[in-house]
Amino acid sequence: MFCVISAIVLSILGVFSASNRVLAKEALDCVFRRVTLRPCNTGFDQKMKARILGFVITRSENTARFLNQYFEVLAWGFFVLLLTSGIFALRGFYLFYTTGSCNGLNSTALCVFDPTGKNNETSVIDEGCRVDQAGRGTGLTLKDVDLSGFPVLNSSSPDKIVFIGCYACDYTRKAYPLVKKLVEDTGASFTFLEFPVKEQSDLDARFAYCVNQQDPLAFWDYSDLLFAAEKVDLDNEDFLSDMVTTVGLDNDTIKACVSDPATETGFQNQQQQVLNTNFQGTPTVFINGEALVGPKPYRVYAIRLDGFFYWLNN
Amino acid sequence: MKDMLSYRKDFPLLVTAPGNKPVVYLDTACQSLRPKAVMDAVTRYYMEEPACAGRSMHHLAAAVTRDVDTARSQIARHLHTTRNEEIIFTRNTTEAINLVANSLGLKLGDIVLITDKEHNSNLIPWQRLARRDGVIIKVVPTRPDNTFDLAVYDTFINEKVKLVAMGMTSNLDGVTIPAQEIIKKAHKQGALVLLDAAQTAPHQNINVKTLDVDFLAFSGHKLLGPSGTGVLYGKYKLLEKLEPFLVGGDTVAFSTYDSCEFLPPPAKFEAGLQDYAGIIGLGAAIQYLNEIGFDAIQKQELMLNEYLTRETRDLKGMHLIGPADARLRGGIFSFYIEGLDHHRIALMLDQMANIVVRSGQHCVHSWFHARGVAGTVRASMYFYNTLQDVESLVENLHKIRKVL
């Protein structure tokens, strides 16, 4: 069993050191012999045991004695540990690949492949966002959320993507183009739910609301312009007006819409619908009902629609 | 007499930087360390006279020729022969023995006598002759303590024996055979004698004239010389008759398209460009050894071997190979400990205290096979070893025994 552990450990170390590569080769030869039901006559295990004992004996004779007596048992123990940690490592890698976190979808626990947790970062909603957290439900859901009235693309597609974002949120800005690309690649239905988690986004959210009311198709161009704009411009009415003109809409009509009390009521109703999803920050993306919090890599979104080997479909 | 410790400074490996663990080199039977004088001689060849000996006429060639001749002369003097032509340079003892085996012209039914603990170098060449030419190998058994039994030898030596080929000092246990008596008895029966002196030449004064030995082989790398150097001594009248083993450049006086005339010994046996740097280094090694003197070397080895023998006697499961009397084992202390793998002991000693020893069957597989011993640990000492070296070995052996 010692050969198996050595083969694994030394193969890894062998990537960095030539001397370990030689030992790894010996260990692998030993493993191969064992697997093919031949005796391991290279003496590799004896050699390594002697080296280990020689090292330990100079530090603690009792430890060396224990090690000598239970060497095979310890080797089995380490093998089990190695196997277990190997399985967990593979699981972590699989989860990272499919969810963007080693610990599963939306987990913010430490992941070695994403140590800063950037795949799970969100602009959190709190009192600063003028949202009263008291009494809010838990568990992300689209159940009982009325999505009518929100801008939607490819509405007839069976694949449904619902994106909750804020124009001024950096993480939304990171995720939005990826999700848009996914929509272009797959033709999935895409519903955009704007929620201004940043105060500077209050005005642009209302402009966007009115643009959608005026021309749902022009909304997507307008939305793209806002995501591409500098954040400081998002609460600049002149800038927002310029963008309205850019997408070919009448600026006076939109301004009138923004200042219309009925707009505020409709806007607040939509905000309440967004809050009904129990989301905690932007971006939060629902793909066929499954919630993904934070800006995930493109593959994570794509896997939701096209499976593990999503690239084969493109 | 110079303090033996003073020689250690000549061996770079033994000069330990402060804070570093010193190397305890106890594998001289495999290969000795080299003093700076030898390394300097080798370097000097490459730096100052990197030319061919005996071929070109320029001053560099003349310098190399002179130095190679000097080395040959040093070795001849070392073996107490007056004829430099009796010294043939080879790559090692093995090549020297192969030269004799392939040149002597032994034929079907000729008997070659060997002992039961020959190094493969002095076994395999004869085995090949046995298979190829029908030569008969007879093995003279040693006593249970591995010492040579002349009475048993008497029962083997007869007129059918054409060659007695024996290791003069065993690399297994350090026991030296009574060569002079063996040779006398062999000559009486008309047999020639070849001695494998690989383990003798570094430790004992060898007088080929007193011994009256016909052929004697040894390696440079065991007596402070460079690797890849060896010597075959042969009586000139025998060398003259011997067919060369390897032929080619530098072995002939002239050649035509269909014939050639070989040069006299030693040239006819030294085919091709020689290892001049090695040969010159070997000369320097012999000179260095002579300055120390074999009496001093043997005294130091005996002191160390007696200490080792005494201090490990009570080690549980200890089996010493060879006679109990350290005086009969030169600088070799070969042993195994029941229940402990010999390789494991060697590796642990290396790991624990930088103690470098050999483990295994030491190229004497036949003896181990016959005696049913798996292998031994062999500590082989030389004049540069100290009491601290063997004390460290003893201390760590006791520790291993205690723990395992």
Side-chain angles (χ1 to χ4, degrees):
Chain A
M1 193 42 64
F2 182 74
C3 291
V4 178
I5 304 168
S6 302
I8 297 167
V9 174
L10 291 169
S11 296
I12 295 166
L13 293 176
V15 174
F16 309 102
S17 132
S19 60
N20 284 322
R21 227 167 290 153
V22 176
L23 290 172
K25 208 174 154 193
E26 273 188 59
L28 285 168
D29 178 58
C30 189
V31 171
F32 182 69
R33 286 176 166 278
R34 286 277 166 87
V35 169
T36 52
L37 303 177
R38 290 178 298 163
C40 177
N41 59 2
T42 62
F44 173 79
D45 47 349
Q46 287 300 320
K47 192 159 69 180
M48 294 307 289
K49 183 179 178 181
R51 280 190 183 186
I52 293 166
L53 286 175
F55 176 79
V56 174
I57 201 172
T58 54
R59 285 147 183 87
S60 164
E61 289 186 12
N62 287 334
T63 311
R65 192 176 293 117
F66 176 81
L67 201 59
N68 180 52
Q69 203 166 349
Y70 299 106
F71 195 77
E72 196 58 28
V73 176
L74 289 168
W76 268 101
F78 278 112
F79 177 70
V80 171
L81 281 176
L82 198 68
L83 202 64
T84 311
S85 61
I87 290 168
F88 273 98
L90 281 176
R91 177 181 171 272
F93 190 78
Y94 171 80
L95 287 174
F96 176 73
Y97 183 77
T98 56
T99 70
S101 166
C102 313
N103 305 293
L105 192 60
N106 303 331
S107 169
T108 53
L110 178 70
C111 170
V112 285
F113 302 123
D114 178 25
T116 55
K118 60 184 169 51
N119 290 344
N120 293 294
E121 287 173 324
T122 56
S123 293
V124 181
I125 57 167
D126 52 23
E127 284 75 9
C129 299
R130 293 135 285 129
V131 175
D132 183 7
Q133 291 286 35
R136 286 199 66 207
T138 54
L140 292 161
T141 180
L142 287 175
K143 201 180 162 192
D144 302 327
V145 177
D146 180 8
L147 295 175
S148 60
F150 286 100
V152 61
L153 274 176
N154 310 328
S155 57
S156 59
S157 170
D159 289 322
K160 306 288 183 194
I161 300 174
V162 177
F163 189 111
I164 304 172
C166 166
Y167 291 118
C169 162
D170 288 330
Y171 311 121
T172 302
R173 285 170 160 248
K174 205 169 155 187
Y176 181 79
L178 301 179
V179 176
K180 272 298 287 293
K181 182 179 182 306
L182 181 69
V183 171
E184 284 161 18
D185 289 347
T186 62
S189 162
F190 180 48
T191 307
F192 184 72
L193 281 58
E194 215 287 338
F195 191 96
V197 291
K198 307 280 185 189
E199 199 170 337
Q200 71 188 111
S201 223
D202 283 353
L203 187 60
D204 65 51
R206 284 159 178 81
F207 263 77
Y209 175 85
C210 286
V211 168
N212 185 47
Q213 297 299 312
Q214 284 295 311
D215 183 348
L217 276 179
F219 166 82
W220 296 105
D221 292 337
Y222 190 73
S223 193
D224 289 347
L225 287 170
L226 294 189
F227 275 121
E230 294 293 326
K231 285 198 293 180
V232 290
D233 293 329
L234 292 176
D235 57 355
N236 181 336
E237 189 174 341
D238 291 340
F239 174 80
L240 295 170
S241 297
D242 284 348
M243 296 301 106
V244 167
T245 311
T246 305
V247 299
L249 295 181
D250 179 53
N251 194 26
D252 291 337
T253 310
I254 297 300
K255 275 187 175 176
C257 169
V258 170
S259 52
D260 185 345
T263 295
E264 188 59 25
T265 307
F267 180 76
Q268 289 303 334
N269 283 341
Q270 281 198 343
Q271 297 297 284
Q272 188 52 54
Q273 292 305 316
V274 180
L275 286 170
N276 288 346
T277 63
N278 299 324
F279 87 110
Q280 298 295 319
T282 57
T284 295
V285 183
F286 291 88
I287 299 181
N288 289 333
E290 186 178 28
L292 292 86
V293 179
K296 310 295 184 195
Y298 177 81
R299 67 170 189 279
V300 176
Y301 298 123
I303 285 168
R304 268 37 213 185
L305 290 181
D306 286 341
F308 194 82
F309 301 106
Y310 68 91
W311 67 85
L312 295 174
N313 298 329
N314 296 330
Chain B
M1 190 191 293
K2 214 171 149 186
D3 178 14
M4 298 307 272
L5 281 175
S6 66
Y7 292 109
R8 284 174 68 86
K9 69 176 187 327
D10 295 336
F11 296 85
L13 191 74
L14 302 178
V15 180
T16 311
N20 285 2
K21 203 161 34 165
V23 173
V24 179
Y25 191 79
L26 295 173
D27 198 17
T28 294
C30 185
Q31 180 157 257
S32 71
L33 300 178
R34 280 71 165 192
K36 276 187 283 192
V38 170
M39 295 179 226
D40 290 345
V42 171
T43 306
R44 191 167 52 78
Y45 166 78
Y46 287 116
M47 296 288 285
E48 297 173 17
E49 50 188 41
C52 301
R55 301 181 187 203
S56 306
M57 303 302 289
H58 53 74
H59 72 283
L60 292 179
V64 184
T65 305
R66 186 191 61 231
D67 286 350
V68 168
D69 287 346
T70 303
R72 200 186 300 275
S73 162
Q74 283 172 317
I75 294 161
R77 274 202 306 277
H78 180 69
L79 296 177
H80 301 278
T81 174
T82 51
R83 297 198 71 161
N84 294 353
E85 300 84 2
E86 292 182 323
I87 304 301
I88 298 161
F89 290 118
T90 62
R91 281 186 302 151
N92 43 48
T93 307
T94 305
E95 185 177 289
I97 294 172
N98 270 279
L99 193 161
V100 175
N102 287 281
S103 304
L104 205 55
L106 293 173
K107 53 187 188 304
L108 183 72
D110 287 348
I111 293 174
V112 175
L113 276 192
I114 60 172
T115 71
D116 62 355
K117 48 174 187 168
E118 294 302 332
H119 189 285
N120 285 333
S121 302
N122 192 39
L123 174 64
I124 311 304
W126 312 118
Q127 285 182 350
R128 192 166 72 162
L129 286 193
R131 280 197 305 274
R132 194 180 67 190
D133 303 330
V135 167
I136 298 163
I137 301 169
K138 291 208 168 173
V139 180
V140 181
T142 52
R143 296 189 183 102
D145 70 352
N146 278 2
T147 53
F148 194 83
D149 192 336
L150 277 169
V152 173
Y153 173 67
D154 284 342
T155 64
F156 279 82
I157 189 78
N158 57 50
E159 72 280 359
K160 286 182 188 162
V161 175
K162 296 299 172 199
L163 181 72
V164 174
M166 292 180 174
M168 193 170 174
T169 302
S170 169
N171 71 311
L172 170 67
D173 51 25
V175 172
T176 299
I177 58 173
Q180 204 161 353
E181 288 85 343
I182 288 168
I183 293 165
K184 241 184 231 168
K185 287 170 189 279
H187 284 170
K188 230 178 238 176
Q189 299 295 336
L192 296 174
V193 177
L194 162 68
L195 291 178
D196 168 357
Q199 298 294 342
T200 319
H203 307 278
Q204 297 178 34
N205 186 26
I206 297 174
N207 187 326
V208 292
K209 293 301 168 193
T210 310
L211 284 172
D212 196 23
V213 66
D214 301 297
F215 300 103
L216 182 135
F218 65 89
S219 296
H221 63 266
K222 294 185 200 296
L223 48 62
L224 313 180
S227 310
T229 57
V231 168
L232 172 68
Y233 158 82
K235 284 179 178 167
Y236 193 77
K237 62 179 188 323
L238 292 172
L239 292 177
E240 273 184 313
K241 287 183 208 160
L242 243 53
E243 277 292 311
F245 170 41
L246 293 172
V247 291
D250 261 6
T251 60
V252 293
F254 74 92
S255 63
T256 64
Y257 287 126
D258 50 17
S259 68
C260 69
E261 185 182 316
F262 283 106
L263 285 163
K268 72 170 177 176
F269 297 107
E270 294 176 353
L273 193 96
Q274 297 296 292
D275 177 6
Y276 303 122
I279 291 168
I280 293 166
L282 181 57
I286 297 283
Q287 192 179 340
Y288 187 91
L289 271 182
N290 285 332
E291 282 167 17
I292 301 169
F294 284 110
D295 288 343
I297 290 172
Q298 285 177 316
K299 192 178 165 198
Q300 179 77 355
E301 289 172 356
L302 179 62
M303 183 268 289
L304 300 175
N305 210 343
E306 279 183 333
Y307 178 87
L308 259 180
T309 307
R310 186 174 64 246
E311 296 301 321
T312 56
R313 194 175 293 146
D314 299 329
L315 209 59
K316 191 180 157 202
M318 178 75 172
H319 287 270
L320 180 68
I321 305 298
D325 187 348
R327 284 174 300 181
L328 300 177
R329 283 186 278 106
I332 290 181
F333 180 77
S334 191
F335 65 95
Y336 66 93
I337 299 175
E338 252 172 60
L340 293 183
D341 179 74
H342 46 280
H343 289 311
R344 188 188 297 178
I345 295 172
L347 282 163
M348 286 185 72
L349 289 170
D350 189 14
Q351 185 76 49
M352 291 163 76
N354 265 5
I355 298 172
V356 180
V357 291
R358 172 95 178 256
S359 58
Q361 300 190 338
H362 320 295
C363 294
V364 196
H365 304 97
S366 48
W367 181 90
F368 284 90
H369 181 70
R371 303 270 177 125
V373 177
T376 68
V377 178
R378 183 186 70 189
S380 48
M381 294 150 281
Y382 212 11
F383 63 89
Y384 43 63
N385 289 119
T386 63
L387 191 59
Q388 284 92 330
D389 287 348
V390 290
E391 277 173 349
S392 176
L393 175 61
V394 168
E395 182 195 335
N396 285 287
L397 277 177
H398 278 279
K399 200 179 270 187
I400 290 172
R401 177 73 279 189
K402 188 177 152 197
V403 169
L404 303 188

